[in-house]
Amino acid sequence: MHEERKSKDTRELYKGIGSRLLSRRKELRYTQEQMAELRGVSTGFYGMMERGEKAPSIEKLIIIYEKLGTDITYLLTGDQKEGAGGSFLERCPKEKQYDLEQLMKYAFNLAEIGTVKIET
C-alpha cells in the first residue's frame, strides 16, 4: 500500500513538473525539439517529461536553470520565488525579458565575485 501511494504521489509530482515545463516552453515560444536540444535529451524523452511520464534528473534541472533562467523550485513545486527581480521581470515586455534575465544573471555573478573574501 505504501508503494502504491508513493507511486501516485510520484506521478502527481511528475505531472506538475511536466505542466510547468510545457508552460515555460510556450512562454519562450520554443518547440519540443528546441527544448530537447537545449536540455541534451531526445525529443521523445522531452515529450514524456511534459506529459509527466518521466522526470528530469538533477543535472537536467540545472541545465534548465542555466539555459532558460527557470527557477528550479518553481519547476519542482510550482511556488514562485519573490525577490531577485522576479516581479520586475514579469512587468518587462516579453520581447525584452531574455535580455533582462541575462543582465540580471551577469549582475548577480558580479555581486558574488565581490563578496569573496581574500585572505592575506
Side-chain angles (χ1 to χ4, degrees), residues 8-103:
K8 182 180 177 186
D9 290 345
T10 300
R11 283 193 306 268
E12 290 302 314
L13 175 68
Y14 288 7
K15 284 181 184 180
I17 292 169
S19 174
R20 290 182 285 278
L21 281 172
L22 173 64
S23 293
R24 183 66 174 145
R25 177 173 65 82
K26 287 185 176 188
E27 283 175 21
L28 296 169
R29 298 186 184 123
Y30 285 171
T31 64
Q32 280 191 338
E33 291 82 11
Q34 290 170 316
M35 289 290 278
E37 185 177 326
L38 278 171
R39 306 223 17 256
V41 298
S42 70
T43 303
F45 187 81
Y46 181 79
M48 290 191 307
M49 284 192 294
E50 277 193 0
R51 290 188 300 276
E53 298 168 9
K54 299 283 184 184
S57 67
I58 299 290
E59 177 185 80
K60 299 303 180 194
L61 286 171
I62 292 169
I63 290 171
I64 292 169
Y65 169 73
E66 290 175 342
K67 292 191 177 183
L68 302 177
T70 303
D71 180 44
I72 294 172
T73 302
Y74 167 71
L75 280 177
L76 293 174
T77 67
D79 292 338
Q80 296 273 357
K81 281 198 304 190
E82 285 300 318
S87 61
F88 182 75
L89 185 61
E90 290 170 6
R91 292 182 303 216
C92 182
K94 290 273 185 209
E95 65 275 4
K96 298 291 184 181
Q97 284 185 0
Y98 176 80
D99 295 332
L100 182 58
E101 286 175 353
Q102 297 306 308
L103 286 170

